[in-house]
């Protein structure tokens, strides 16, 4: 699922050979022991000195440990170093909670089976991990068969190798940014906007609504309650009003940022984007829908898409598509359904498809 943050993770199944799996399993054990040792070092250091052991210091200790325990050298150095980053993160989270007045448990030591991933912090030719001969090339492991079931829309920065409890192995690739170049394909897609999801594309990809906004809603409610309790005309009321306005502004920015990124992504990926020419102003008059529609920001998304597409030499096309949600994308028959029906079931050709996915396909078909 698409999630326009700085980092997006894409998970692919990998098929290490028996030897490779054994090596990776061995690495997991060594990293786990290293993790526990680093955690213990931090704890002891703190008890003795009432000060935190820094990651830089821990790296020095790790170097010495490597001389004492040569088997640690079997693990790729990047992967081993990253263990210390995890320890640091666990510590930071612990102290954050202490500061917040909570009573968190001390970061836990990892038992067998509780340490299941290895991170190559750098991805690219000559670095820890990269693609080679349509395989995933992992330094010190070799070429691993990978099933790339989807495109990777951007530049891979890190690669996490994961062993799941099922015993299956996966590579989680973290993609940081889109390449400046546009995707060379000129694929066409329909774009069906919704309320639960921001949009659905004709290949079934779903673009969720931005999460932080749902979270912020609580803050808005608190601030509103706060405001309503203050005496009219008082200074405190003014302050409360300003606080509320600030929260609203932040939400608007977050939403706009998300819509920008979404538009960038779509224009990057597709040559032709077809959406319904919604009469958004008219829809806003329907009070039931108004808030959700305004929140979803379709109008903003559409204007972003049209100017970004134009400057990239792409096409954003809005079609009058009355009843695109009622039409069958496979046979063209009209299949009536009310808003609550989430699945399109065509009695004529037998097509069963998510309602929005079907609508996106219908939109795509409207333009040649
Ligand atoms: Zn049909």
């Amino acid at each position: 699922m698409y999630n326009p943050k700085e980092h997006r993770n894409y998970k692919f199944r990998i098929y290490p050979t028996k030897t490779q799996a054994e090596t990776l399993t061995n690495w997991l054990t060594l990293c786990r022991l290293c993790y526990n040792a680093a955690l213990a070092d931090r704890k002891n250091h703190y008890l003795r000195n009432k000060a935190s052991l820094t990651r830089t210091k821990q790296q020095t200790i790790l170097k010495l440990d490597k001389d004492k325990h040569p088997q640690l050298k079997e693990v790729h150095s990047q992967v081993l170093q990253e263990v210390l980053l995890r320890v640091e993160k666990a510590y930071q989270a612990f102290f954050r909670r202490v500061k917040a007045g909570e009573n968190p448990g001390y970061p836990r030591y990892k038992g067998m089976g509780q340490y299941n991933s290895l991170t190559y912090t750098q991805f690219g030719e000559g670095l820890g991990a990269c693609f080679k001969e349509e395989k995933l090339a992992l330094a010190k492991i070799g070429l691993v068969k990978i099933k790339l079931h989807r495109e990777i829309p951007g530049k891979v920065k890190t690669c996490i190798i994961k062993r799941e409890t099922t015993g299956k192995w996966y590579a989680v690739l973290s993609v940081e940014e889109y390449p400046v170049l546009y995707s060379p394909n000129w694929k066409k897609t329909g774009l069906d906007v919704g309320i639960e999801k921001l949009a659905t594309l004709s290949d079934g990809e779903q673009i969720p609504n931005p999460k932080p906004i749902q979270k912020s809603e609580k803050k808005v409610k608190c601030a509103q309650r706060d405001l309503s309790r203050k005496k009219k005309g008082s200074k405190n009321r003014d302050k409360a009003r300003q606080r509320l306005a600030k929260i609203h502004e932040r939400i608007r920015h977050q939403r706009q940022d998300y819509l920008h990124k979404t538009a960038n992504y779509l224009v990057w990926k597709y040559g032709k984007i077809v959406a319904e020419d919604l009469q958004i102003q008219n829809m806003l008059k329907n009070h039931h829908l108004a808030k959700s529609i305004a929140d979803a920001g379709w109008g903003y998304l559409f204007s972003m898409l049209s100017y970004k597409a134009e400057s990239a030499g792409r096409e954003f096309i809005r079609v009058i598509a009355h009843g695109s949600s009622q039409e069958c994308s496979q046979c063209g028959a009209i299949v009536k359904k009310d808003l609550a029906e989430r699945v399109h079931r065509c009695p004529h050709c037998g097509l069963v498809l998510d309602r929005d996915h079907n609508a996106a396909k219908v939109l795509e078909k409207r333009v040649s």
Side-chain angles (χ1 to χ4, degrees):
M1 200 192 266
Y2 170 57
N3 187 14
K5 275 190 240 153
E6 305 276 292
H7 296 259
R8 258 156 267 116
N9 289 336
Y10 295 88
K11 190 171 165 187
F12 299 97
R13 178 90 188 266
I14 56 169
Y15 303 85
T17 62
K18 207 176 160 220
T19 326
Q20 286 172 337
E22 274 168 15
T23 310
L24 289 169
T25 306
N26 186 34
W27 283 17
L28 284 173
T29 307
L30 290 167
C31 284
R32 180 172 68 83
L33 296 175
C34 177
Y35 181 94
N36 288 342
L39 205 58
D41 281 350
R42 284 220 177 208
K43 191 177 185 177
N44 294 332
H45 186 87
Y46 190 80
L47 289 176
R48 255 183 263 122
N49 309 306
K50 288 280 166 257
S52 289
L53 193 57
T54 62
R55 182 150 60 93
T56 330
K57 270 191 199 145
Q58 292 212 293
Q59 277 169 354
T60 321
I61 298 171
L62 183 59
K63 263 184 209 146
L64 297 173
D65 280 350
K66 272 179 163 179
D67 293 332
K68 266 190 272 169
H69 311 283
Q71 71 267 35
L72 284 175
K73 288 184 188 160
E74 289 164 24
V75 184
H76 188 265
S77 59
Q78 241 175 57
V79 174
L80 199 59
Q81 292 249 327
E82 196 270 342
V83 173
L84 298 178
L85 191 66
R86 294 189 194 191
V87 173
E88 186 177 47
K89 277 187 187 160
Y91 244 80
Q92 283 168 347
F94 171 70
F95 279 118
R96 208 165 29 243
R97 293 186 61 191
V98 171
K99 248 191 178 167
E102 293 172 49
N103 191 12
Y106 187 78
R108 296 222 182 171
Y109 294 106
K110 306 260 183 206
M112 288 243 275
Q114 289 180 326
Y115 199 100
N116 294 308
S117 66
L118 306 160
T119 306
Y120 282 92
T121 48
Q122 281 178 292
F123 194 96
E125 199 71 42
L127 300 166
C130 67
F131 289 122
K132 226 177 233 171
E133 298 162 28
E134 292 180 32
K135 287 185 172 164
L136 185 64
L138 299 175
K140 287 191 129 176
I141 296 287
L143 298 182
V144 183
K145 200 176 135 198
I146 182 168
K147 192 179 170 201
L148 287 170
H149 63 274
R150 59 159 298 156
E151 278 178 77
I152 302 168
K155 201 173 171 197
V156 182
K157 290 288 181 173
T158 65
C159 170
I160 299 171
I161 303 299
K162 222 173 157 180
R163 182 187 62 191
E164 298 209 333
T165 42
T166 52
K168 289 176 184 164
W169 292 87
Y170 293 87
V172 180
L173 304 179
S174 161
V175 175
E176 234 181 40
E177 59 188 6
Y178 299 111
V180 181
L181 292 170
Y182 286 92
S183 156
N185 73 63
W186 286 84
K187 264 191 302 193
K188 185 171 65 161
T189 186
L191 176 89
D192 178 71
V193 291
I195 289 173
E196 264 173 65
K197 294 158 277 184
L198 176 60
T200 306
L201 307 183
S202 37
D203 66 353
E205 181 176 358
Q206 296 179 345
I207 298 180
N209 277 313
K211 280 222 181 76
I213 288 160
Q214 289 158 7
K215 253 195 246 160
S216 309
E217 262 172 17
K218 247 192 201 163
K219 279 190 195 160
V220 171
K221 277 196 188 126
C222 276
Q224 266 165 347
R225 207 178 317 127
D226 205 32
L227 177 65
S228 67
R229 281 186 191 139
K230 299 285 187 283
K231 230 197 233 154
K232 273 186 189 154
S234 70
K235 254 197 182 153
N236 281 336
R237 192 181 167 88
D238 257 7
K239 271 189 198 153
R241 189 181 295 119
Q242 280 170 17
R243 254 199 313 276
L244 182 63
K246 252 193 189 154
I247 294 171
H248 275 302
E249 191 186 54
R250 196 163 60 233
I251 293 174
R252 197 171 57 247
H253 284 159
Q254 281 173 345
R255 183 178 296 138
Q256 287 175 350
D257 183 53
Y258 183 87
L259 295 169
H260 259 284
K261 284 177 179 158
T262 302
N264 282 343
Y265 169 75
L266 291 169
V267 169
W268 172 79
K269 192 167 179 186
Y270 293 100
K272 228 179 232 182
I273 301 157
V274 188
E276 186 173 349
D277 190 13
L278 295 165
Q279 296 303 308
I280 293 165
Q281 286 310 317
N282 286 341
M283 296 177 83
L284 287 173
K285 285 177 193 149
N286 177 341
H287 288 294
H288 276 304
L289 286 176
K291 190 180 173 291
S292 311
I293 291 170
D295 277 359
W298 300 340
Y300 193 83
L301 178 66
F302 284 179
S303 64
M304 288 295 107
L305 278 172
S306 62
Y307 103 78
K308 283 175 196 282
E310 200 187 323
S311 63
R314 306 284 217 180
E315 282 181 87
F316 174 57
I317 304 162
R318 294 174 69 173
V319 293
I320 306 288
H322 287 306
S324 60
S325 60
Q326 311 291 324
E327 195 178 313
C328 176
S329 62
Q330 190 161 273
C331 70
I334 299 298
V335 184
K336 288 264 178 227
K337 44 192 162 315
D338 59 37
L339 258 174
E341 270 178 86
R342 301 314 304 164
V343 179
H344 166 86
R345 283 176 221 278
C346 180
H348 306 282
C349 71
L351 179 70
V352 176
L353 206 59
D354 170 73
R355 176 202 181 99
D356 303 330
H357 187 181
N358 178 64
K361 279 178 115 93
V362 170
L363 287 169
E364 185 190 329
K365 277 184 149 180
R366 294 289 163 97
V367 170
S368 58

